[in-house]
Amino acid sequence: MGVYECREVSPEVPDEDTRLQSMTEEERTMAEAPLIVHEDEPFNAETPPHRLGDHITEPGSFYVRGHGPVPRVDSDQWELVVDGMVRTSLRLGLDGLQSRFAGHTVEATLQCAGNRRAELMAVRDIPGEAPWDVGAISTARWTGVRLRDVLDDAGITDEATHVAFDAPDLASEADPPQAFGGSIDRTKAMSDDVLLAWSMNDAPLPAVHGGPVRVVVPGYIGARSVKWVQRITAQDGPSDNHFQRVAYRMLAPGQEPGADVGVELDATAVTSAIVLPTDRSAVHAGWTTIRGYAVSGHGERILAVEVSVDGGSTWRSADLETESALWSWRHWTLATELTPGAHTIVVRARDTGGGQQPADSADVWNPKGYMNTARHAVHITAE
């Protein structure tokens, strides 16, 4: 795939009212739902397609990945402990955190490691895992303090190579059950945009999204952005929590989960997805607008997106929205004229580091269904 440019906008594309009128009954029902729920307890739900086109996701439609019941932590009682390989251990309440350190806001997309797992399940079964479609991803404005500033204040020592986070939510899937936790390497922890966030879209962080305070690690799988954080530990290796050592690891086909088996997941790779039209839907023949998102997690920006309406035989450059923040997704559109009949629409993206998407989900299948970054396809009928 060579370098390609954004094309000019095609004329006479349907407006939003026309699009809504053309929805099927199933699509209209989905449009009324703030989330698509996969599991009630623990609560797991993804953002519906019609909300994936919003640049900033409202909290009520922001995807939720939980491993245990949502803890209810009173902001007045919340306390953060910072310890381990530091010169001075800290204990901070919310007021202390806010008054002691400068505030900082980051616009960042968070993405579950299992986003688009349903496509991998279509290749081969993945028992015991949620069938996430393209909506285990959302974007918000996060406000808090830089983790780096807190670690500097505590005096993180040179021997510390990782920073671990502990939370109070008890997960029964661990054996024996344990609270959720995880860690990131020191380099990432000391970067500019890793936050201890208490605000989401300029409002107090809702409990379901980790309030009163959560970690936000832009560019990494969502599991590393630990919610309801209550302890930060500087240490000389990764966290020994089940969700770092066992659960969120990339396994090769045939490997069984176990401590330190496979590859630890951290930064996400370049990916893109079609959000409208949805798979197996019907649209009016003629002019229609295909919409989607693209994102990269290595600190790279989306360079270009291409879309095919004939199953990958020919490709056209999509129009990209104006670039905003480094860690935020980039939406794209392609206005095209569809002839009556069946169409397979495929999307592929490239980032500024040269990253591009594998051709097929079968190429990236793995036993846990993580990190599906293959080209995304939907099958539609134009009538």
Side-chain angles (χ1 to χ4, degrees), residues 19-33 50:
R19 186 187 70 79
L20 291 171
Q21 290 169 11
S22 67
M23 280 183 173
T24 65
E25 182 177 347
E26 179 183 6
E27 288 174 319
R28 279 193 293 271
T29 299
M30 290 177 61
E32 295 172 358
H50 70 287

Side-chain angles (χ1 to χ4, degrees), residues 111 115-116 119-120 268-272 295 347-349 356-361 364 370-376:
Q111 180 178 189
N115 192 37
R116 297 179 55 206
E119 298 158 54
L120 300 183
T268 58
V270 61
T271 192
S272 62
V295 65
V347 63
R348 64 188 186 187
Q356 50 191 305
Q357 297 178 250
D360 193 271
S361 293
V364 295
Y370 289 145
M371 306 285 276
N372 181 11
T373 59
R375 297 172 186 173
H376 182 233

